[in-house]
Amino acid sequence: MPPLPGTETILVVDDEHAILSIATLMLQRHGYNVITSPSGKETLHLFAVFPDLHVDLMLIDIIMPEMNGVELASRLSEIR
């Protein structure tokens, strides 16, 4: 039985463009809506500009310049 198509929105945060591209292609192929961000700073800005943005799952790179994934997840949980 093939997997059911996804309908959720997934945020992918990674500082490597190739990773963002591959993750987006794979997730979209299975029906997911994908939002990408190249940094923690831009992700926080995204949530500030769009306070009603609904995200079902976040895939966050742990090692990024300026703000690591753990710090970003912590700050996002404070916002939401």
Side-chain angles (χ1 to χ4, degrees), residues 13-66:
V13 183
D14 200 301
D15 59 320
E16 293 186 40
H17 181 71
I19 301 293
L20 288 176
S21 295
I22 289 171
T24 299
L25 287 173
M26 289 174 28
L27 293 167
Q28 286 178 339
R29 182 178 294 158
H30 290 283
Y32 294 100
N33 300 310
V34 181
I35 301 169
T36 61
S37 177
S39 71
K41 183 178 178 181
E42 288 196 30
T43 303
L44 292 174
H45 179 72
L46 180 70
F47 278 81
V49 171
F50 300 102
D52 295 332
L53 180 66
H54 176 78
V55 174
D56 296 292
L57 177 72
M58 291 185 271
L59 299 175
I60 303 173
D61 185 10
I62 295 296
I63 301 172
M64 295 185 292
E66 296 181 17

